[in-house]
Amino acid sequence: MIIKSVELEIVCGVTSKLPDTDKPEVAFAGKSNVGKSSLINGLMNRKSLARTSSQPGKTQTINYYNINQAMYLVDLPGYGYAKVSVKEKEKWGRMVENYLHSSRQLKAVFLLIDIRHEPSANDKQMYEWVAYQGYDPIIIATKLDKIKRSQVPKHLKMIKEGLKLKPQTPILPYSALTKQGREEIWNFMDQLLGFQSPEQEGVKEP
């Protein structure tokens, strides 16, 4: 997809009523500090649309980004941040569960996993939780530039085995530093939502 317009259109807190949107949605989930904001900025060719922070647990709302007036990219709160109280975690959990359960436009959930490490207990729980809600999570393996190229297959296998992924589950490696994997993620989303890819339109991605 060629990004023509992006707008943070809807922000939902714990007490907000979730919107009934009229455009297809894809949701992004991942533990705190996995690089979700950096990925969203990279996908949208913006430097600071999604606020990045070295302080984990920054996203405490569900954020709807309207892309080209054609779709919503939905940023879900990060999970697994130790310094947040149990009560807060439960609130976020209910909010995310409510979203996954009630959104009529949600087409796919992308789950971000740090490629450097084995999936954590929180990652496994989130994967199972999304699957329980009826979605097959698509994995984005972040921080690709932090490991050697020769290590990539071994680390992808570690994620597959750690999450007990179904054989056909896509894993899309991504680097926020080099933007490697950006095109693959967009091609996947374009195909998923029935949008034409730049190649089909005869236009090259800038």
Side-chain angles (χ1 to χ4, degrees), residues 33-169:
N33 251 11
V34 76
K36 192 152 51 69
S37 297
S38 299
L39 168 67
I40 289 168
N41 287 330
L43 287 175
M44 299 194 209
N45 277 335
R46 302 292 192 276
K47 281 192 175 160
S48 55
L49 190 69
R51 282 174 299 176
T52 57
S53 173
S54 55
Q55 183 192 343
K58 208 67 179 163
T59 307
Q60 299 180 19
T61 51
I62 297 179
N63 299 331
Y64 291 70
Y65 295 93
N66 184 334
I67 302 175
N68 292 356
Q69 299 296 319
M71 65 172 283
Y72 285 107
L73 193 156
V74 182
D75 182 12
L76 301 174
Y79 56 83
Y81 179 45
K83 289 187 182 174
V84 174
S85 71
V86 172
K87 200 173 173 184
E88 281 297 306
K89 284 180 189 169
E90 283 174 358
K91 277 186 195 169
W92 296 0
R94 279 197 300 274
M95 184 163 64
V96 173
E97 186 173 22
N98 186 23
Y99 170 73
L100 293 175
H101 189 66
S102 65
S103 172
R104 290 191 295 178
Q105 293 286 359
L106 182 59
K107 306 302 179 194
V109 179
F110 289 82
L111 180 60
L112 279 63
I113 304 288
D114 188 329
I115 198 168
R116 297 173 298 177
H117 311 298
E118 281 191 38
S120 66
N122 281 314
D123 290 329
K124 292 172 187 174
Q125 190 178 20
M126 189 67 185
Y127 178 82
E128 287 163 11
W129 195 29
V130 172
Y132 178 74
Q133 296 295 336
Y135 297 93
D136 284 329
I138 298 137
I139 308 300
I140 296 179
T142 61
K143 305 186 189 274
L144 179 61
D145 50 277
K146 305 283 188 191
I147 62 171
K148 292 177 183 167
R149 192 177 292 181
S150 60
Q151 295 177 304
V152 172
K154 185 180 94 173
H155 284 248
L156 292 179
K157 188 180 177 205
M158 184 170 74
I159 291 173
K160 276 180 192 169
E161 290 175 354
L163 293 176
K164 298 186 175 71
L165 297 182
K166 294 177 182 175
Q168 71 276 21
T169 302

Side-chain angles (χ1 to χ4, degrees), residues 1-9 22-24 65-72 195:
M1 179 179 285
I2 295 169
I3 310 295
K4 292 169 185 165
S5 67
V6 180
E7 181 190 353
L8 175 54
E9 192 173 286
D22 60 350
K23 296 174 182 64
Y65 295 93
N66 184 334
I67 302 175
N68 292 356
Q69 299 296 319
M71 65 172 283
Y72 285 107
F195 297 141

